[in-house]
Amino acid sequence: MNADDTTVTESTTAFDLIGGEAQVRALVDRFYDLMELEPAWAELRAMHPTPLDGSRDKLFWFLCGWLGGPQHYMERFGHPRLRARHLPFAIGIRERDQWLACMERAMREVELDAALVERLRAAFFNTADWMRNKGG
């Protein structure tokens, strides 16, 4: 969806700009499809359970709220407590960068608006960097 396709106001959220739940689901599905298909993200994939259905749903629910849409995740699980929920996984710079690269490609492949991709790239980096719990 292009930002030009909608009237952007101060109250317009990233969720609105993406195109709502259908497009968030498409983004999440492409992200996990790429994670499964691309050898470059094998380490990232290994950190996730098989099958990925639960991971797909949780990221979808989380992103809907994080982007300013419905709070599906919080309705099901309460506060995301992202860092605490990810502490069992060794997340360093390599894992952060793999996650970000996979998400970046997914955003491009679902054809998000370039300005929105830039905005999300910065926000994703800040969140992913905060998740690091090991050196390197």
Side-chain angles (χ1 to χ4, degrees):
M1 172 177 186
N2 274 326
D4 297 339
D5 295 342
T6 187
T7 302
V8 178
T9 67
E10 277 189 35
S11 62
T12 302
T13 66
F15 180 81
D16 297 326
L17 293 173
I18 279 178
E21 287 189 6
Q23 192 68 350
V24 174
R25 176 56 82 176
L27 174 63
V28 167
D29 285 344
R30 190 61 193 146
F31 172 79
Y32 281 109
D33 290 348
L34 288 167
M35 187 191 299
E36 283 196 300
L37 295 170
E38 295 295 330
W41 300 310
E43 291 170 282
L44 181 63
R45 173 61 184 94
M47 297 173 73
H48 291 77
T50 300
L52 286 169
D53 299 345
S55 297
R56 286 175 190 264
D57 286 341
K58 286 179 181 174
L59 183 58
F60 167 72
W61 295 328
F62 172 76
L63 285 181
C64 281
W66 187 78
L67 293 165
Q71 297 294 319
H72 300 310
Y73 188 94
M74 288 189 59
E75 290 167 2
R76 288 168 174 81
F77 305 107
H79 191 280
R81 300 176 31 240
L82 284 181
R83 189 160 167 82
R85 291 184 197 272
H86 287 81
L87 279 175
F89 308 99
I91 301 172
I93 292 170
R94 169 183 250 149
E95 293 79 13
R96 175 202 67 195
D97 289 352
Q98 284 186 15
W99 194 97
L100 291 168
C102 190
M103 182 55 76
E104 167 103 15
R105 184 161 160 199
M107 288 190 293
R108 283 194 322 265
E109 290 189 9
V110 298
E111 299 180 346
L112 296 187
D113 177 73
L116 180 59
V117 169
E118 284 303 312
R119 177 177 159 189
L120 292 176
R121 181 185 296 133
F124 280 136
F125 177 85
N126 290 336
T127 301
D129 195 54
W130 180 65
M131 303 298 286
R132 289 190 305 122
N133 57 27
K134 74 170 190 171

